[in-house]
Amino acid sequence: MSESSTSAGLADELRSLLGALSPGDRLPSSRELVERFHVSPVTVSRAIAHLSAEGLVVTRPGSGTFAATPPRRPAEVADTGWQTVALTDRAVDTRAATDGLGPPPAEAIALDGGYLHRSLQPTKALSAALARAARRPDAWDRAPTGGLESLRSLFARGTGADVGAEDVLITAGGQSGLSIAFRAIAGPGNPVLMESPTYPGALSAARAAGLRPVPVPMDGDGIRPDLLADAFAMTGARLLYCQPTHHNPTGTVLAARRRAQVVAVARAAGAFIVEDDFARHLGHGQAPPRPLLAEDRDGTVVHLTSLTKPAAPSLRIGALVARGPVLERMRAVRYVDDFFVPRPMQEAALELLGSPGWERHLRALSAELHTRCRALADALARHHPAWTVARVPSGGLHLWVELPSGSDDTDHAVRARRAGVAVGAGRRFFPAEPPGAFLRLAFAATARAADLAEGVRLLRDPR
């Protein structure tokens, strides 16, 4: 059992003990708690810190730990109805980015989700990187608004394009980068073109910025340049959001012959492309194509990448790469938002990327994702032959599944929950009306690859 889980258990024991004490009563000493519960002094210290943060105990150095006085409850519930009028219609719609069904039960098999399971994360390398970063004498100094130069240089080299550190802005993960780019490039009421389907987090970020998502159809080779040109002409849009490599949710890779076309169409329209390259390190054994940024010579492409997906959810480090005034505009948005990304996190990212363990992790992750993807596809073919898997992708974390005609994807998701399996209903991935019923199934969110087949088996007849 980990130290953190042991301290949480001890905190629960102490909460029960506090129930029999009066405010001001002294708790047993640390030595007594160590002997009574057979735990380490570190565990006791952490448990007491948890209770202190909750306001349940007060620690007096040299005297001990005492039960705290319960906080006073308000005499009546405040009337906040006036806020509905004051806030007008500026609601932030998160329905696309969040599952409307709420979080699944802890015991459910996770065939939904956009992050690696803890067993696939480089936790030891991350912990070591954070520890080394914390020992740097300047770890808690203010970081530049644009980010540490050495980290910006690493991201610039990673694009394979003709860019340098001066063309990079460090962000607090990919979602933060999306929000910055959308607000910097377009204004409230402006259209933003998006592949259909697309990443729900991008839909939410665009709508929160006051933008109007406009769908552009895809086929097996990615977004269609002919329809993209039509959409630019009809809407007057000056912004396209797309995922050319291992697209979420379909897994599509934009065909080589289309990559230069897409950039040329946007350039002709006087528009920017926000290229979300979240999955560059999530390949299944094949090298990904060069980013659209490498096809761009005029500053059309704003490239977005992140370490969150291939590492861990809380490594909130990403980068926007762009040339020209648009980078200055995005840097200004970053400044007024929160000044800079915390320096310890940037230093930890530098330590991680510079360690031999990072490349080993990426190789092992690639092999495991390939195995899991095939296992999920095989289980679907065996148990659900009427369901259509559009493609077995060469990268990413998901399979995109079309259900038989007349199906209801939300109903499938609800019934799957009852069977103990979490799946993603497809309709929230579309900027407009979906053309059918789809499910997005994750193969990297479960603890074991064997859970994939079991989850699909339980989907056979969810009741």
Side-chain angles (χ1 to χ4, degrees):
M1 182 177 291
S2 69
E3 190 74 48
S4 60
S5 61
T6 306
S7 63
L10 178 58
D12 289 338
E13 295 284 355
L14 295 180
R15 289 188 189 94
S16 298
L17 177 61
L18 286 166
L21 299 180
S22 299
D25 286 350
R26 186 177 183 277
L27 270 69
S29 68
S30 294
R31 180 178 296 177
E32 292 171 320
L33 292 175
V34 166
E35 294 176 354
R36 180 188 301 187
F37 294 102
H38 306 290
V39 294
S40 71
V42 173
T43 297
V44 172
S45 177
R46 287 180 174 174
I48 294 296
H50 283 309
L51 299 179
S52 178
E54 294 173 12
L56 299 178
V57 300
V58 176
T59 301
R60 301 187 185 120
S63 299
T65 302
F66 301 85
T69 302
R72 295 179 59 186
R73 296 185 178 275
E76 59 183 36
V77 178
D79 179 8
T80 59
W82 66 272
Q83 295 184 5
T84 301
V85 177
L87 291 171
T88 64
D89 60 348
R90 289 293 295 143
V92 178
D93 188 352
T94 62
R95 287 174 296 178
T98 58
D99 188 340
L101 302 179
E107 66 276 7
I109 295 176
L111 297 186
D112 192 18
Y115 298 114
L116 300 178
H117 186 268
R118 188 181 301 121
S119 62
L120 299 178
Q121 299 168 17
T123 50
K124 289 184 179 179
L126 282 165
S127 297
L130 191 58
R132 291 194 300 271
R135 290 195 292 269
R136 296 189 178 190
D138 58 353
W140 295 99
D141 289 354
R142 174 172 176 156
T145 298
L148 300 179
E149 183 176 5
S150 49
L151 184 58
R152 288 187 283 121
S153 294
L154 278 176
F155 275 114
R157 290 199 298 273
T159 66
D162 185 19
V163 293
E166 67 278 7
D167 302 311
V168 179
L169 173 65
I170 300 300
T171 68
Q175 192 66 26
S176 171
L178 280 178
S179 179
I180 290 171
F182 287 162
R183 288 181 293 138
I185 296 172
N190 291 168
V192 53
L193 306 186
M194 292 184 165
E195 298 152 319
S196 184
T198 191
Y199 166 51
L203 287 170
S204 291
R207 289 168 177 152
L211 308 186
R212 178 167 50 88
V214 177
V216 181
M218 300 173 61
D219 59 21
D221 288 330
I223 194 168
R224 291 181 51 181
D226 56 336
L227 297 181
L228 177 63
D230 291 344
F232 274 126
M234 293 175 64
T235 65
R238 292 296 178 263
L239 177 60
L240 164 67
Y241 167 78
C242 64
Q243 306 167 83
T245 302
H246 310 315
H247 172 270
N248 176 13
T250 68
T252 304
V253 175
L254 184 62
R257 67 182 183 279
R258 290 187 178 180
R259 301 178 85 83
Q261 286 180 294
V262 168
V263 175
V265 167
R267 178 69 187 89
F272 289 96
I273 298 173
V274 172
E275 176 190 21
D276 190 345
D277 201 23
F278 76 98
R280 179 147 299 271
H281 297 302
L282 299 177
H284 300 173
Q286 301 178 21
R290 295 208 311 164
L292 294 186
L293 184 70
E295 307 280 353
D296 174 35
R297 294 293 178 268
D298 302 302
T300 297
V301 177
V302 174
H303 181 84
L304 173 63
T305 186
S306 170
L307 298 179
T308 304
K309 296 297 187 183
S314 284
L315 186 62
R316 308 302 300 176
I317 292 291
L320 286 162
V321 187
R323 289 165 291 194
V326 68
L327 183 65
E328 294 305 315
R329 180 75 62 85
M330 293 190 297
R331 188 179 288 118
V333 173
R334 141 102 297 137
Y335 183 82
V336 299
D337 272 358
D338 51 14
F339 296 134
F340 55 87
V341 174
R343 185 166 189 141
M345 193 62 67
Q346 294 191 57
E347 298 281 12
L350 269 171
E351 292 283 353
L352 178 68
L353 295 178
S355 69
W358 176 244
E359 291 300 327
R360 288 197 299 269
H361 163 67
L362 292 181
R363 289 193 295 271
L365 178 62
S366 175
E368 181 65 16
L369 291 179
H370 174 78
T371 298
R372 285 173 172 243
C373 179
R374 294 287 173 175
L376 182 58
D378 291 345
L380 286 168
R382 184 166 61 254
H383 294 296
H384 293 282
W387 294 12
T388 303
V389 176
R391 67 187 49 77
V392 177
S394 59
L397 306 174
H398 307 99
L399 288 182
W400 185 240
V401 180
E402 184 171 5
L403 301 175
S405 177
S407 299
D408 184 313
D409 54 343
T410 301
D411 182 58
H412 269 271
V414 170
R415 290 189 288 124
R417 287 283 182 93
R418 295 178 188 149
V421 186
V423 300
R427 67 184 60 197
R428 67 190 181 98
F429 294 85
F430 290 91
E433 296 81 6
F438 298 84
L439 296 177
R440 189 191 70 166
L441 303 182
F443 47 79
T446 60
R448 303 172 304 149
D451 294 335
L452 300 172
E454 176 64 8
V456 171
R457 185 189 67 78
L458 290 173
L459 288 176
R460 293 186 67 182
D461 186 24
R463 297 185 187 280

